Amino acid sequence: MISVFLNSAKIARACLPEASTRLTIAVKFVILPCLLTLFFLALSSGGSASPSLESAFAVALGVSSIVAATSIVSLVATDRFEGVTVFLLTAHGNLALSWLGRYTVVAGISSATALLGFAVSMAVTRVNFNWQSLPLIALLIVIAPLSAAGFGACLGSLSMWLKNSLTVSNVAEFALPIMIGMIAPVSVFPAPLQALCLALPPTHIVAAGRHLALAAMPEFWNETALAIALGSGWFLAALVLWKFFIRRTRVTGNFEVF
């Protein structure tokens, strides 16, 4: 069982195009997250020279959630183009362990991105940080990629319907920063769009970060619980979609959809 988990993690890492050289690793996992954090921090703070702690927490957690969701969609798309999906569905072994090993790589990258974003945010935020809240920040850093996993997996499953499966990832990468309340509160949107935004787990992770910065603990725990619940719901939806694709493939006898 452990070998299935480890081999799946190795395959997932090998399937990441940005992990092919040290230069692409540095650009994708260090330089780009730092620049994204600074960019969104500037937008969130309205260009202020001294961003607030609230903005710093929201941006660090938001970037982590976006990386987690879009990385899963990209991984599913890469699997489809390189034949890994067919291998996973036809190989003997525990399919759940295989996907757990693959997601561990994505979750690890997302958590590292959150830590890096948090460090960059703290470096430019001229506000005294309450170190007593550090364990709760660590909790959110762990929960952020986990809650975004289900949403990302659901988008990845839906991308199987498209000829170009990277379309979903590209749209999500640009839409999520606006929709999850990282730049501006979701209350500025019309009611139908607000409902959609509030159905996304990253929205509540970002809100939890903002409440933590303001020391509003009841609201913090409420938003954290909502993020976990919604993440679980999206994961179940992704599981249903994925099983539908597996059943359809076995009935038709071909893997053209993949």
Side-chain angles (χ1 to χ4, degrees):
M1 292 178 65
I2 296 177
S3 62
V4 173
F5 175 85
L6 293 177
N7 288 333
S8 299
K10 290 179 182 178
I11 293 173
R13 183 194 174 281
C15 288
L16 294 173
E18 56 269 25
S20 57
T21 67
R22 292 181 180 179
L23 179 59
T24 54
I25 290 174
V27 171
K28 176 65 177 181
F29 302 126
V30 179
I31 298 175
L32 187 57
C34 288
L35 293 177
L36 282 175
T37 299
L38 292 174
F39 174 70
F40 289 128
L41 191 58
L43 290 178
S44 178
S45 61
S48 172
S50 180
S52 66
L53 191 63
E54 182 184 352
S55 296
F57 282 11
V59 168
L61 295 168
V63 170
S64 172
S65 298
I66 292 169
V67 169
T70 56
S71 293
I72 291 179
V73 183
S74 299
L75 187 61
V76 172
T78 304
D79 287 352
R80 175 182 170 187
F81 294 138
E82 297 187 357
V84 178
T85 302
V86 178
F87 169 77
L88 287 172
L89 295 181
T90 57
H92 296 287
N94 192 318
L95 188 59
L97 273 179
S98 298
W99 278 105
L100 181 61
R102 296 172 69 70
Y103 179 65
T104 299
V105 175
V106 175
I109 293 172
S110 304
S111 296
T113 301
L115 285 171
L116 184 60
F118 179 72
V120 171
S121 299
M122 290 298 99
V124 299
T125 302
R126 301 173 186 176
V127 179
N128 292 328
F129 175 62
N130 182 10
W131 292 99
Q132 292 182 348
S133 62
L134 189 59
L136 296 179
I137 280 291
L139 176 65
L140 288 179
I141 287 174
V142 172
I143 292 176
L146 295 177
S147 64
F151 175 64
C154 197
L155 291 180
S157 299
L158 288 173
S159 70
M160 292 297 185
W161 288 98
L162 303 176
K163 188 174 183 179
N164 183 0
S165 56
L166 287 174
T167 300
V168 176
S169 176
N170 292 335
V171 172
E173 193 170 1
F174 289 100
L176 284 178
I178 301 173
M179 296 180 64
I180 64 176
M182 187 170 65
I183 298 174
V186 297
S187 58
V188 302
F189 297 121
L193 189 54
Q194 279 188 45
L196 176 60
C197 294
L198 293 174
L200 306 179
T203 302
H204 299 281
I205 286 292
V206 169
R210 292 187 183 275
H211 290 309
L212 180 59
L214 298 173
M217 300 313 297
E219 291 82 358
F220 164 79
W221 289 113
N222 287 340
E223 294 291 350
T224 302
L226 272 172
I228 295 173
L230 288 171
S232 301
W234 280 102
F235 177 78
L236 291 175
L239 189 61
V240 170
L241 284 172
W242 191 253
K243 284 186 174 294
F244 168 76
F245 282 115
I246 293 176
R247 191 180 302 112
R248 175 179 172 182
T249 299
R250 288 173 177 170
V251 169
T252 59
N254 66 75
F255 287 91
E256 289 181 0
V257 67
F258 297 110

